[in-house]
Amino acid sequence: MAVNAASILNRLGSNKSSKRGIQPTTVNSLTKTILSHISAGRLQKAVSVLFASPFPVPHSLYAHLFQLCSSNHAIVDARKVESHLVTHDPIPPVFLLNRAIETYGKCGCLEDARQMFEEMPHRDGGSWNAIVTAYTQGGCAEEALSMFLKMNKSGIFANEVTFASVLGSCGMLLDLWLARQVHVHILKYGFCGNVILRTSLVDVYGKRGVMSDARRMFDEIENPNSVSWNVIVRRYFEMDEGKEAIFMFSKMFGTDVKPMNSTFSTALVACSNMFALKEGIQIHGLAIKINFDEEEVVSSSLINMYVKCGKLEEARRIFDQPDCRNVISGTSVLLGYAMSGRTREARQFFDEMPEKNVITWNAMLEGYMHVLQWEEALDFVLLMLKKSKEIDHVTLRLILNVCAGVLDVEMGKQIHGFVYRHGFYFDTYIGNALIDMYGKCGNLRSARCWFYQMSQWRDKVSWNSLLTSYARHGLSEQAMTIFSEMQWEAKPSKYTFATLLAACANIFAFEQGKQIHGFMTRNGYEIDIVVVGALVDMYSKCRCLDYAIKIFKQADTRDVVLWNSMVFGCCHSGRGRDVLELFELMEKDRIKPDHLTFHAILLACIYEGDVELGRLYFDSMSSVYHIIPRLEHYECIIELYSRYGRINELESFVEGMPFEPTVPMLTRVFDACKEFGHSRLGEWAATRLMG
């Protein structure tokens, strides 16, 4: 309570002494004693001396003590000062009670602030301002706005500070309508030239996503300060308008305003998200010019920017500077090495880091997983469990992913037990990782059992994980059943449909696949390149090539994966000549083929019996497209020569292979020699087979 029991008792006990005259020398002595304690930094002692005193001190000293209690968040001392004030002054000045409200607000004691405000016999504009500001600072935006509306009804005019607090509350609640009303009042009361209020308007419009109004407000500020620039840059960044954020940052350097280090950091993060290396380098130069590059938040953002843009050496060079070696920057560098496939360097860097936290451990583990180094990841998990006591929900999810990667369901069960014992039971991300782990390990019963246990907190990812688990193991009909159940609880994502279409392709379920396609079209789902690829694959495998070609032609963009789906679709339908024509179109679209493309082309050459063209494409893989032929490509050429009786060329090709032929290759060579009567090569193949 603001006026508590101690205050009342002190007042009753001091009635007699308050009637006697107080000697000025005594007050002066007391004041000097209190001020000496304040000067020595002994706030608690100063307040204790005041609280023990039987008579009041000057109002200016009370105000000074309230201010000190506020800045030090000393709530106990603030209550003592207020108690002494109301005990020895039955009608304290309003401005002192306003200071008490401000102090309680700064200390987070909103109930005390509200009680003090309600018990005041007289209030002024400062009283209303103090209570509105207290609620705003305490994060109670609705209460702040409610008090502001009551203030208006009372006929009290708000000042600049009140309006700034109210706009802050509008920003918290994202209340655009009320912000516009406050804006009108600001103009009405003639505060439109106040840079703080203009900046607050920029902030609230920006938070609400109305960047056109935010920019107009900013442009109307005659002399924007560093906070104004920081707000407009930050809001553009948060609205995914990184290019505009960087532009405004560069525009600031045409003024006399010195930027805040947080403004530098925001601009650099925008460069990171856009992979804008050129602009990031320019900002780096500006940071060096004004000696901001050694600021921790700026150096960390620089390191992150260079890592995201693939310039790991430059990031490492900044990190190696004495003032930049911290765990946050180190984790960025580590993640850069790991996610770019340089796991050996990442591990060496990790081992040399003097300080590590759970994020660092997670980053190294994620690096191993990113390049599918599952055995190394498993070893690292065991090391982590042995040496680090810090394990969070991200760690557990990553470990479950490792269990799925190495198909170690027993370890996954142990992690499941850990999840139960340590309170991670209701974490949806971990729950979904458990479904995925059980599914990948083939334990579909446990996957489904856990899925049902998650009934109160599962989401569409949970459904998709279960559905994918069944589809992955060829149980496509069960996957379709799960999809039917899913529609009662969660809205399917486009990735769900991609999985379902793959399931339909596996069981050649044309009608079901067509129904899914229709469902997506009717319900306005985006048919992106992933779904288009799944549709092309499904229609192709279901021998409905005309549908597949139609979908392919309608695609807005076509990458190599989609081209490969179409090419293999033609292969499955035995239309080899179409494959070769598609390859010509693919080159015209400047899509670089990969090893899968050439596998389809060589299969097409086999179907068409075009031996010379097949060998030409095989040779062009390395000479023109710089693709190293794989086992399947060698198998295709052997099949091509064998099927069409080109035994001499077959012999020359087999002898020139950079590796020993496999058993299926030797078997095919032997069968061809037997069919076309070539004893020498046949005997050679037979000897190899028996050896």
Side-chain angles (χ1 to χ4, degrees):
M1 289 182 58
V3 183
N4 52 31
S7 301
I8 296 169
L9 290 172
N10 283 338
R11 188 183 301 171
L12 291 172
S14 62
N15 279 340
K16 292 180 181 179
S17 62
S18 64
K19 293 177 182 177
R20 295 194 300 266
I22 301 171
Q23 297 296 323
T25 53
T26 307
V27 174
N28 290 338
S29 175
L30 174 64
T31 301
K32 286 180 181 179
T33 302
I34 293 172
L35 288 173
S36 67
H37 286 305
I38 291 173
S39 298
R42 297 190 294 268
L43 174 62
Q44 192 173 5
K45 182 65 176 174
V47 172
S48 295
V49 170
L50 172 70
F51 195 64
S53 169
F55 40 79
V57 295
H59 292 160
S60 59
L61 184 54
Y62 283 116
H64 186 43
L65 285 167
F66 276 129
Q67 188 271 324
L68 289 173
C69 291
S70 175
S71 58
N72 288 278
H73 294 90
I75 183 60
V76 174
D77 294 322
R79 284 186 174 131
K80 287 181 178 180
V81 174
E82 184 247 315
S83 175
H84 193 274
L85 170 66
V86 298
T87 298
H88 297 285
D89 192 341
I91 308 176
V94 173
F95 86 93
L96 280 181
L97 297 180
N98 293 347
R99 298 294 84 77
I101 294 172
E102 290 171 0
T103 302
Y104 287 135
K106 283 280 182 68
C107 294
C109 296
L110 299 179
E111 185 63 31
D112 286 356
R114 181 62 179 261
Q115 282 193 329
M116 170 65 78
F117 178 82
E118 297 290 354
E119 291 175 5
M120 288 176 70
H122 303 288
R123 306 187 191 103
D124 60 10
S127 312
W128 286 95
N129 175 65
I131 192 65
V132 170
T133 302
Y135 276 124
T136 301
Q137 291 172 341
C140 300
E142 291 184 4
E143 288 84 351
L145 294 176
S146 173
M147 293 303 292
F148 174 70
L149 294 174
K150 288 180 181 178
M151 177 182 178
N152 273 341
K153 288 180 181 178
S154 300
I156 304 294
F157 292 114
N159 61 18
E160 294 100 318
V161 178
T162 312
F163 280 125
S165 294
V166 171
L167 286 171
S169 295
C170 291
M172 284 184 227
L173 295 174
L174 301 179
D175 193 329
L176 183 61
W177 179 85
L178 187 56
R180 292 196 190 281
Q181 301 304 308
V182 175
H183 188 179
V184 170
H185 278 73
I186 289 170
L187 296 174
K188 180 180 176 181
Y189 295 150
F191 295 139
C192 52
N194 186 295
V195 66
I196 295 174
L197 291 183
R198 284 283 185 188
T199 301
S200 296
L201 284 167
V202 172
D203 189 47
V204 71
Y205 285 136
K207 282 179 177 175
R208 195 63 180 81
V210 190
M211 289 309 301
S212 57
D213 285 357
R215 180 62 173 272
R216 182 167 56 82
M217 286 296 99
F218 180 84
D219 290 340
E220 290 176 5
I221 300 175
E222 189 172 342
N223 293 302
N225 58 24
S226 59
V227 176
S228 311
W229 285 102
N230 186 61
V231 167
I232 191 67
V233 170
R234 182 78 184 176
R235 296 297 161 249
Y236 270 124
F237 167 72
E238 289 177 346
M239 290 298 114
D240 290 328
E241 296 187 41
K243 190 177 290 186
E244 201 63 29
I246 295 168
F247 170 75
M248 293 302 290
F249 178 82
S250 61
K251 189 177 178 182
M252 177 175 50
F253 276 86
T255 69
D256 295 329
V257 177
K258 184 179 180 182
M260 301 166 67
N261 57 13
S262 58
T263 317
F264 262 105
S265 177
T266 301
L268 286 166
V269 175
C271 293
S272 302
N273 292 349
M274 297 167 57
F275 306 104
L277 178 62
K278 181 182 176 182
E279 290 80 0
I281 292 172
Q282 291 172 349
I283 295 173
H284 187 182
L286 293 171
I288 293 172
K289 186 176 179 180
I290 61 174
N291 296 320
F292 262 37
D293 59 317
E294 295 181 0
E295 293 278 345
E296 184 172 314
V297 66
V298 177
S299 62
S300 294
S301 298
L302 278 168
I303 288 169
N304 186 58
M305 184 274 295
Y306 281 120
V307 166
K308 289 278 185 71
C309 293
K311 296 293 181 180
L312 291 176
E313 283 66 30
E314 185 62 27
R316 181 66 184 268
R317 188 186 67 77
I318 298 172
F319 176 79
D320 286 337
Q321 295 174 8
D323 296 330
C324 301
R325 298 177 70 89
N326 58 65
V327 69
I328 297 173
S329 299
T331 303
S332 293
V333 175
L334 170 67
L335 198 57
Y337 281 131
M339 300 306 281
S340 61
R342 297 161 65 174
T343 50
R344 184 175 296 178
E345 292 168 270
R347 182 57 183 272
Q348 183 180 352
F349 184 84
F350 174 86
D351 291 339
E352 292 172 356
M353 287 180 71
E355 183 184 357
K356 303 178 182 71
N357 61 19
V358 66
I359 301 173
T360 317
W361 284 90
N362 290 344
M364 187 66 244
L365 180 56
E366 192 168 2
Y368 281 130
M369 292 169 54
H370 182 69
V371 293
L372 307 181
Q373 293 181 343
W374 297 113
E375 294 300 329
E376 291 84 349
L378 184 58
D379 290 341
F380 190 78
V381 165
L382 297 175
L383 178 69
M384 186 176 185
L385 295 174
K386 181 180 179 182
K387 290 197 170 184
S388 175
K389 294 181 180 179
E390 293 183 282
I391 289 180
D392 63 5
H393 65 284
V394 177
T395 315
L396 292 170
R397 178 174 57 81
L398 291 173
I399 294 175
L400 287 168
N401 290 342
V402 172
C403 295
V406 297
L407 303 179
D408 190 340
V409 72
E410 291 305 318
M411 184 176 179
K413 288 178 179 179
Q414 291 176 19
I415 299 301
H416 194 169
F418 184 93
V419 166
Y420 263 102
R421 293 192 301 274
H422 292 84
F424 294 99
Y425 185 83
F426 294 104
D427 189 294
T428 305
Y429 291 102
I430 294 177
N432 293 340
L434 280 164
I435 295 172
D436 185 64
M437 181 274 298
Y438 282 126
K440 284 180 178 173
C441 292
N443 193 335
L444 298 179
R445 183 177 179 181
S446 292
R448 186 135 194 167
C449 181
W450 175 241
F451 172 81
Y452 283 130
Q453 288 187 47
M454 286 178 66
S455 60
Q456 298 301 315
W457 71 94
R458 66 191 178 208
D459 56 12
K460 62 183 178 183
V461 178
S462 316
W463 281 97
N464 199 48
S465 294
L466 184 68
L467 188 152
T468 304
S469 296
Y470 277 86
R472 185 185 292 120
H473 291 281
L475 301 171
S476 301
E477 292 182 3
Q478 289 91 325
M480 298 298 294
T481 302
I482 292 168
F483 172 66
S484 299
E485 296 172 359
M486 176 182 183
Q487 294 176 63
W488 291 96
E489 183 177 309
K491 183 181 179 181
S493 70
K494 58 186 178 184
Y495 303 107
T496 310
F497 292 112
T499 302
L500 286 168
L501 290 167
C504 292
N506 291 337
I507 59 174
F508 310 111
F510 170 71
E511 288 300 328
Q512 289 174 305
K514 194 176 178 182
Q515 287 173 12
I516 291 167
H517 187 187
F519 183 94
M520 294 189 72
T521 304
R522 289 192 304 274
N523 290 278
Y525 280 90
E526 178 192 2
I527 309 294
D528 67 359
I529 196 166
V530 175
V531 177
V532 168
L535 283 168
V536 168
D537 184 58
M538 184 274 295
Y539 282 128
S540 298
K541 287 181 178 175
C542 292
R543 300 292 189 269
C544 296
L545 200 59
D546 291 338
Y547 279 101
I549 292 170
K550 183 179 178 181
I551 297 294
F552 180 78
K553 286 180 177 178
Q554 291 174 349
D556 294 329
T557 57
R558 292 188 281 262
D559 61 4
V560 67
V561 177
L562 183 56
W563 277 97
N564 287 344
S565 294
M566 192 67 253
V567 167
F568 271 105
C570 291
C571 278
H572 293 317
S573 298
R575 292 166 62 167
R577 186 54 54 187
D578 290 337
V579 171
L580 302 177
E581 290 178 5
L582 279 170
F583 181 66
E584 291 179 11
L585 290 174
M586 185 177 177
E587 289 197 304
K588 285 180 182 178
D589 269 9
R590 296 183 178 180
I591 302 296
K592 185 180 178 182
D594 61 10
H595 65 281
L596 290 172
T597 316
F598 279 102
H599 187 201
I601 291 169
L602 294 174
L603 288 173
C605 291
I606 294 171
Y607 298 148
E608 295 298 317
D610 201 329
V611 179
E612 282 72 20
L613 188 60
R615 184 57 193 261
L616 184 67
Y617 277 126
F618 179 85
D619 292 338
S620 71
M621 286 182 66
S622 53
S623 63
V624 178
Y625 299 98
H626 308 292
I627 298 171
I628 299 173
R630 301 188 179 188
L631 184 67
E632 60 266 25
H633 303 113
Y634 284 96
E635 287 176 339
C636 283
I637 296 299
I638 290 174
E639 177 62 31
L640 189 63
Y641 286 142
S642 298
R643 182 176 295 190
Y644 299 104
R646 308 288 279 269
I647 305 302
N648 290 331
E649 290 160 285
L650 174 61
E651 183 176 18
S652 177
F653 180 78
V654 172
E655 288 177 353
M657 284 171 53
F659 56 87
E660 288 294 317
T662 63
V663 171
M665 287 179 179
L666 291 169
T667 303
R668 187 67 187 96
V669 170
F670 179 80
D671 290 342
C673 292
K674 185 178 179 181
E675 182 181 353
F676 293 102
H678 196 290
S679 57
R680 186 178 70 255
L681 183 60
E683 289 173 2
W684 174 85
T687 302
R688 292 297 182 94
L689 283 169
M690 288 187 292

